[in-house]
Amino acid sequence: MKKSVAVLLVVAFVALSVLSLSRVASAEEIKMVGVITKIDIAGKDAKTATATLKDNKTEKLVVITINDDLTLDKFKDHRIVEGDEIRCKYEVIDGKNVSKLFRKTAGC
Amino acid sequence: MKQMVTITSTLLALLCAAGVWGAEHPGKSEIEKNGYKGPATCEECHPGTAKTFLDTVHWKHASKVDNVSNLDSKKEYGMKNRIYTMCNGNDIVNNLKEIPKNAEGKSKFTGCNTCHPGNHVSDVGSTGPEAQNAIDCLVCHSTDYDFRQRKPFKNAQGQVVMGQDRSTKAALAIAKPTVKNCMVCHEAAGGGVLVKRGFVFTKETDAHAAKGMVCVDCHKAKNHKIPTGFDPNNWANDGVRVACTDCHGDKPHKGLSAVYNNHTAKIACQTCHIPRTGGAVAKDFTVWEKGGDGFYEPTTLKQEANATVPVYAWYNKTVRNDQHFIGPNGSRKDGKSKIYPFKIFLGKAFYDQKTGKLLSMDFAPPMANGNTRAGVESAARTLGMKDPAAVAKNAVPGWQTIYFGSNHLVTKSKALNCVNCHGVNGVFNFRDLGYSDAEIKKLTNPELYFKQLIEKQKEEW
């Protein structure tokens, strides 16, 4: 009995460790620079939007979810538009690439 | 007297309750009825304002400067004509234009004066009725501006014109400038977001923003003349200044913190309350890097807001301006200086082989193909220098150090306390600040602050 409890505890510990590690791994910040090919935002009151970036290095299309007010505002008044090159940091959360930094590379 | 105070207070309370302050801008029905016709519409209620605006730094990108060495007191200086290594170009040599095609056959419009609130045909420092009519009032005053309209294009005459949103919709959203209105230009200065100034003005990064304040609450304009501080690198000014003490006074600390008031004569508020800086720390204009879009940009070492620590120096609000250094004058003994925090930036650019003077650059050639000496040659030609090709060919790369004032990212909760400065490994380099070994020993002894901080510790815990 004692032995099976100990085994169960070890299994539970290992499972928890794997789960927590995989959560850390999925929350890793990924950096990319790419050009916006598409912006999807639902109206002026939208609290979220997606932007598709074409990665400069890999040429792959990456869909980024944007939730921060500053960037959403820039989509709404078109300070950021399709064709702009963006420096982006994102984390994969629940299967979505959630933006942590989304800035135009160009300046004045 | 008491009765007058009561009446005034009641009236103020009623005005506030009625929403007079912060209410929507009057004249909405007129704009709806007649549409927006540019500054002429604004002038119906604000006569003379457009003409006045043409005499401000925001329009002229320059002013006379009286606190910087090696300048001609009769001339005006600013981003219109300055040559330094944060930008290296200026409105004159890097005028808004369509650049040559890059290797991929693409071109684009670029220039330092893209942020000028005119239409480029009426450009930096222009005057007269045409210039007055070209002012883009709404880019600063509308909260519903469509930035797709504010793009450069070529008109039928081949002139490069900066578009404007003059829609009735944008005009109906006029108000006191918001943080966004200011940041449209100011956050992207110096070649990218947070490159030059290195601060974001949000509730997370600034104590004033956290209280709901906006830029113009401190930089409160009068006749469009906007007060600025004494950033050693920000020369042009409207002749009006802003300082922390305007609102906070020179004895702002209360209770157990009142002891800090002993410091205010020699330590600027920013020194304790702005312990971090950010933005670009170095740039190389002699080598440009190709971006994913096929265009080149100066090689820039960037840092986030709050990512770097400042350097502290005595500053008497006058500036030493040499070819390889722009920074504060001051000493602990001149009776005028205080210790201020600065962001130090180093920029590499080309210097004239003959005169040793810093050269400027037209960004169009290097942006298209990375040829930085072609940019120097074009700028030398624009400025009327003798033999521009030779100037560019013989130009010598060199570094310039610039001290930027650190005046935003204000914190109360993370302000420096006694230990941060007076600890043995504190943020101050007392030796560089002019103190002797004996003085440093005294200044870094806990005797100075021990009792004070123990009391504060008790209060906090």
Side-chain angles (χ1 to χ4, degrees), chain A residues 33 35 44 56 70 73-74 76-79 81 84-85 87 89 101 103-108, chain B residues 110-111 114 144-148 180 184 187-188 190-194 202 291-293 302 304:
Chain A
V33 178
V35 175
K44 288 208 84 169
N56 282 350
L70 276 176
D73 198 37
K74 288 178 181 180
K76 288 170 191 173
D77 63 20
H78 309 289
R79 273 177 289 164
V81 293
D84 284 340
E85 190 183 59
R87 193 180 306 279
K89 280 186 199 171
L101 182 145
R103 286 187 195 151
K104 279 165 80 164
T105 56
C108 52
Chain B
T110 186
T114 48
D144 196 12
Y145 194 96
D146 182 347
F147 284 89
R148 284 174 298 188
K180 177 177 97 175
V184 162
E187 82 166 6
V193 179
L194 304 187
T202 61
D293 57 358
K302 296 172 188 169
E304 282 299 303

